[in-house]
Amino acid sequence: MDRITAMNAFVRVVEAGTFTKAADTLDVPNATVTRLIQGLEEDLKVRLLHRTTRSVTVTPEGASYYERVVRLLADLADIESSTRMSQGKPVGKVRVEAPAAIGSMVIVPALADFYRQYPDVEVELGVSNRRTDVVAEGVDCAIRAGEVVEQQMVTRRIGLFRFTTCTSPAFLKACRTPATPEELRSCPTVGMVSARTGRAMDFRFSNGDGTSVDITLEHRLVVNDTNSYVAAGVAGLGFIQAPSYAVGDALKAGTLVSLLEEWKTPDIAVNVLYAPNRYLSAKVRVFIDWTIALFDRHESLRLS
């Protein structure tokens, strides 16, 4: 039995909570993970996990073993990482999760630059508006826009953005231009579904004296994807309030025009997060550093 492979499988089972999820994150058959854990228990002559048809729980001996194995695997990763970094060659797969809009509009268009710098690193990018369980799903790092609810994760702020209220020039000519946020109530609008609540988000504003206004609107169209949302604005279906980084190109091209600019929207933080009990390997570190630099170059996302 490969002891290191078995230890890694054991850690993944504990963190994922099931053999099936652990097998998925390791990209091996479920039977392989079962065989590795059984071999580990036989070799150690101790039960590490309690198994039922529905769940897996850790025995007291397993919990103690887990804490030590995590540190040992981190030390081994440190050794490998230091060696590879000394050669300037981070290698391997990095599993990343990002919001759909940031993934498709910011990260993917710039990935050619990352591969030029790190040709031996493979990026597996999951783009979704759902909240991924980073530990259970074996994700190396996740990019989050807005509030971070995972309190136990290591979190690093990498960017900020605001929302821009806009529509197409043709629509603006045909519709009375609202002078205040309240006047949007009598205008056709398009709503964006919140991944957290499953409902259309309010339009949010804040003027120069700090007054905040949240406007709940009756939309003529509601979508759950930022690309479709921006397309609806460009198509003249109504007023939209979209992330600044998502509409920057359309504003420059003139296919969208902004309004209510004196009413700013609150800053939305973008963070990268990862599990605290996992060593930040060279491949993950260079991806995070590259992402930070990418956001810093982006006029609608940089922190300063």
Side-chain angles (χ1 to χ4, degrees):
M1 178 184 63
D2 184 334
R3 179 60 63 89
I4 301 302
T5 301
M7 288 178 173
N8 190 50
F10 170 70
V11 168
R12 289 296 179 91
V13 171
V14 173
E15 293 179 346
T18 70
F19 278 73
T20 300
K21 285 185 178 179
D24 288 342
T25 63
L26 291 168
D27 196 22
V28 298
N30 201 333
T32 299
V33 175
T34 301
R35 176 177 54 79
L36 288 169
I37 301 302
Q38 288 175 344
L40 195 59
E41 290 179 324
E42 290 173 3
D43 192 50
L44 294 171
K45 296 180 173 56
V46 67
R47 176 62 65 88
L48 299 173
L49 301 169
H50 288 304
R51 307 166 181 79
T52 68
T53 55
R54 293 186 177 181
S55 65
V56 175
T57 57
V58 187
T59 66
E61 295 80 7
S64 176
Y65 185 71
Y66 169 80
E67 295 297 330
R68 295 181 180 182
V69 166
V70 166
R71 291 195 297 269
L72 174 61
L73 293 177
D75 288 340
L76 289 174
D78 190 10
I79 294 170
E80 293 182 353
S81 176
S82 298
T83 302
R84 287 172 177 164
M85 286 297 287
S86 67
Q87 298 173 342
K89 294 182 179 180
V91 177
K93 179 188 292 187
V94 178
R95 294 195 65 199
V96 182
E97 291 289 332
I102 289 178
S104 63
M105 297 179 178
V106 180
I107 296 176
V108 169
L111 274 178
D113 171 68
F114 177 80
Y115 289 128
R116 279 192 292 269
Q117 297 181 55
Y118 308 105
D120 298 319
V121 177
E122 175 189 349
V123 178
E124 184 178 308
L125 178 62
V127 289
S128 171
N129 291 326
R130 72 182 180 89
R131 293 277 179 169
T132 303
D133 188 327
V134 173
V135 173
E137 299 187 34
V139 174
D140 291 305
C141 65
I143 297 170
R144 292 276 193 269
E147 181 184 5
V148 176
V149 297
E150 299 93 337
Q151 298 298 318
Q152 303 303 315
M153 306 298 289
V154 176
T155 303
R156 182 172 179 180
R157 180 169 294 189
I158 61 174
L160 290 171
F161 68 89
R162 288 180 173 173
F163 284 84
T164 299
T165 307
C166 51
T167 191
S168 72
F171 182 84
L172 198 58
K173 287 181 181 179
C175 181
R176 178 175 55 86
T177 302
T180 67
E182 286 290 343
E183 291 185 10
L184 284 169
R185 296 186 187 278
S186 60
C187 300
T189 57
V190 181
M192 177 70 183
V193 172
S194 166
R196 183 173 57 86
T197 66
R199 300 191 300 271
M201 294 184 289
D202 291 344
F203 279 29
R204 304 193 67 189
F205 299 92
S206 178
N207 68 5
D209 65 8
T211 303
S212 295
V213 177
D214 287 4
I215 306 294
T216 302
L217 299 165
E218 295 294 330
H219 303 292
R220 68 190 317 186
L221 171 68
V222 177
V223 300
N224 64 354
D225 168 71
T226 303
N227 290 290
S228 300
Y229 191 54
V230 174
V234 172
L237 297 179
F239 293 103
I240 65 172
Q241 192 176 73
S244 52
Y245 64 84
V247 296
D249 290 344
L251 291 171
K252 290 178 181 178
T255 55
L256 287 175
V257 291
S258 62
L259 60 145
L260 296 173
E261 293 183 351
E262 68 276 18
W263 286 83
K264 303 297 183 182
T265 64
D267 287 332
I268 306 296
V270 183
N271 297 282
V272 62
L273 53 92
Y274 55 91
N277 61 345
R278 289 187 184 169
Y279 179 78
L280 199 59
S281 62
K283 59 186 180 181
V284 180
R285 186 185 306 115
V286 296
F287 183 84
I288 291 175
D289 289 344
W290 175 81
T291 303
I292 292 170
L294 174 64
F295 276 51
D296 189 56
R297 294 193 302 268
H298 201 294
E299 62 181 353
S300 297
L301 285 166
R302 65 171 61 102
L303 287 170
S304 56

